[in-house]
Amino acid sequence: MNDVPAGWKVIRLADVLSEPLVNGRSPRPGHDGLPVLRMTALRAATVDFTQSKSSDHSDDGRAILLAEHGDVLVGRVNGSLSLVGEGALVHGPPTPTAIPDTMIRVRVRPDAVDPPYLAHLWKSPIMRRQIEARARQGGAAIWRINQRDLADVLLPLPPVVEQRRIVGLLEDHLARIEATTIRTGNALDQADVLSRTLTARAGRGALAETARVPASLPRVAGAADGTLPHLPAHWRWTRLHDVAEVTRGITPPGKQQWNPADVDVSCLRVANVQRGRLDLDDVRTIRLPQPRAQAARLRAGDVLLTGGGSSDTLGRGWIWEEQLLHCVHHSHLFRVRITAHQLHPVLLAWHANGFGRQWCNRNATQSVGTASISLARIRLMPVPVAPVEEQHHLVAVVQAHTTALNAASAAAERALVVAGRLRRNLLERAFTGHLSHPLPPSGQQEFVL
């Protein structure tokens, strides 16, 4: 921090404040009162005033601290070390808005620090390292930073005129990176929509121009099927329990006496089963009696479906391919094992991630923030079945397309990682006096991304 260009100074935040650091004060929650900022309002360089909630209109506001133009607001608590101490600039609040008690207001002397300069500096690795070094972990694994810690952070400060020049250059660079990031993100979204559309249409035989007939599937008590899509004349609708054995996973045992005969096995949870893929970066291990572990063991070709969670997670799934030895699944997951090779597991997984998820949400038991579907109910899910030889051809054709889409998506995701690295490097250079003029539109940022 002492290695700064000539004419710059390294100064404590406390020495450039126009008013003391102060915590916000949350009004009572309610309706028709002042809006109160949420912590998510601090994610960008400027405060996002759409990220707010209402307070009680009966609160007279005498104890409320309002966000004012030029303030920098800093989050003082967070469950993540990488997010505690986030800061953002208040720029022209659209309406009087309260600062909650989870934020600290920073108000600096404009003759010493240009507020936009401070806001960008706050997003830089220089500040992030200092904040994380000062943060402390309290109860419930919550990270905290207080006014005393913030007062001692060091700011690399050139003269105010130079600060404003740096902000202008920095925002030009950041705008270029952001524009490319948005385009890349949009391309990722479009690839995802195309992949989902392709697999959903394949699962109901809608890729080829062929005669289609209305669905013919007897209604059963306990299932709300809705309107089933038409299928090719040589396809048929059936129920999941007619083509597969469906079982719920195991409930991990609680504390029990150590038994040397028990075995350690991997256990997949809802978080491990994503739509169209398995995320095996964090797989828990549990200890089970050998017979129970063997009976619950997953086999290659088993389709795993989620049976509980939010409405977004319910019913999603993918195929187990023996990625781990001796693996079982949690009771919040269903194992679907195709019987007599009647249906290709990939087609079933594609169907489950499209029509199946909608059907599960329609047939789930809903409560506040969660949804679940019973074993008896999910066995009734309608499933389209094509002739076996056609199934294998469909899978081969569609997988050739989705493989190409996945490769393009992976390249786009790598580009987003590069964009994040460029942004961090840019902020590091800006506040060590090494920021140059922006490149032309076809310059290095575009090339790298």
Side-chain angles (χ1 to χ4, degrees):
M1 181 64 75
N2 293 325
D3 185 19
V4 294
W8 288 45
K9 297 179 180 179
V10 177
I11 300 176
R12 292 169 64 245
L13 177 63
D15 296 331
V16 293
L17 294 174
S18 63
E19 296 184 27
L21 297 174
V22 60
N23 292 354
R25 306 179 185 96
S26 295
R28 293 187 297 270
H31 300 284
D32 304 322
L34 282 173
V36 185
L37 290 171
R38 300 178 185 271
M39 292 299 293
T40 49
L42 306 182
R43 296 293 167 84
T46 55
V47 173
D48 181 0
F49 282 91
T50 66
Q51 296 294 311
S52 61
K53 56 187 176 183
S54 184
S55 63
D56 189 344
H57 75 281
S58 65
D59 197 311
D60 62 11
R62 285 178 298 178
I64 303 307
L65 196 67
L66 297 180
E68 297 185 16
H69 183 78
D71 291 343
V72 172
L73 305 182
V74 177
R76 65 186 188 88
V77 294
N78 204 288
S80 169
L81 178 60
S82 64
L83 295 178
V84 69
E86 273 195 318
L89 175 69
V90 176
H91 182 75
T95 186
T97 304
I99 303 171
D101 59 6
T102 53
M103 296 182 188
I104 300 172
R105 187 196 71 189
V106 179
R107 187 170 288 174
V108 293
R109 300 196 329 264
D111 63 307
V113 186
D114 183 43
Y117 177 90
L118 179 62
H120 284 297
L121 172 59
W122 213 273
K123 298 292 183 183
S124 73
I126 292 171
M127 293 299 294
R128 192 70 244 160
R129 289 191 292 266
Q130 294 187 72
I131 289 171
E132 292 186 8
R134 288 168 168 77
R136 298 170 178 83
Q137 196 169 29
I142 299 297
W143 290 94
R144 304 174 185 274
I145 192 160
N146 59 35
Q147 297 172 23
R148 185 174 59 256
D149 297 321
L150 286 187
D152 287 334
V153 296
L154 300 176
L155 312 178
L157 296 180
V160 173
V161 172
E162 177 65 7
Q163 292 178 31
R164 292 173 180 153
R165 187 190 74 85
I166 289 172
V167 168
L169 288 174
L170 185 58
E171 290 182 346
D172 198 351
H173 281 287
L174 289 172
R176 293 164 185 266
I177 294 175
E178 183 64 19
T180 305
T181 299
I182 290 172
R183 288 197 297 273
T184 306
N186 289 341
L188 267 174
D189 292 341
Q190 291 167 3
D192 183 59
V193 170
L194 179 57
S195 179
R196 284 190 283 118
T197 302
L198 184 63
T199 55
R201 290 178 64 85
R204 62 177 185 269
L207 291 181
E209 293 293 334
T210 184
R212 305 175 68 77
V213 297
S216 176
L217 183 66
R219 301 291 176 177
V220 295
D225 292 337
T227 303
L228 299 180
H230 293 193
L231 295 178
H234 56 292
W235 287 44
R236 63 186 173 91
W237 279 104
T238 189
R239 302 280 174 186
L240 184 58
H241 62 69
D242 290 327
V243 295
E245 172 194 279
V246 188
T247 58
R248 188 181 288 279
I250 63 172
T251 301
K255 292 183 178 180
Q256 58 187 25
Q257 187 174 2
W258 172 265
N259 187 338
D262 291 350
V263 294
D264 291 325
V265 293
S266 301
C267 182
L268 299 185
R269 300 163 291 127
V270 169
N272 299 123
V273 180
Q274 301 294 315
R275 178 175 54 80
R277 64 185 179 89
L278 298 181
D279 182 353
L280 303 180
D281 289 340
D282 179 20
V283 177
R284 308 287 171 81
T285 299
I286 62 174
R287 194 166 179 83
L288 294 174
Q290 176 70 34
R292 190 180 181 196
Q294 188 59 36
R297 181 178 176 179
L298 295 171
R299 300 179 191 167
D302 288 344
V303 178
L304 292 163
L305 301 179
T306 56
S310 68
S311 58
D312 290 336
T313 63
L314 185 64
R316 72 187 181 195
W318 196 238
I319 305 154
W320 179 249
E321 297 175 299
E322 298 280 9
Q323 293 94 326
L324 301 171
L325 294 175
H326 309 299
C327 191
V328 299
H329 60 299
H330 193 275
S331 58
H332 290 160
L333 296 173
F334 298 112
R335 183 195 70 194
V336 183
R337 184 168 289 167
I338 309 297
T339 56
H341 305 289
Q342 300 177 73
L343 184 60
H344 199 297
V346 172
L347 284 175
L348 175 59
W350 287 343
H351 174 68
N353 286 317
F355 171 92
R357 288 183 64 195
Q358 300 170 13
W359 186 91
C360 284
N361 275 291
R362 189 163 53 244
N363 287 271
T365 300
Q366 304 280 349
S367 60
V368 179
T370 62
S372 62
I373 190 165
S374 68
L375 176 61
R377 187 71 58 85
I378 202 167
R379 284 172 169 165
L380 300 177
M381 180 195 294
V383 178
V385 180
V388 173
E389 61 278 7
E390 185 174 343
Q391 293 181 31
H392 289 277
H393 175 71
L394 258 178
V395 170
V397 169
V398 174
Q399 281 186 333
H401 291 289
T402 56
T403 297
L405 279 172
N406 291 340
S409 295
E413 288 169 353
R414 289 193 297 271
L416 292 178
V417 172
V418 171
R421 192 180 304 127
L422 278 174
R423 189 178 291 108
R424 290 190 298 273
N425 291 345
L426 177 62
L427 290 167
E428 183 88 41
R429 292 180 63 83
F431 302 110
T432 54
H434 297 97
L435 187 61
S436 61
H437 287 280
L439 296 168
S442 59
Q444 185 177 355
Q445 292 100 325
E446 295 278 349
F447 175 77
V448 173
L449 294 179

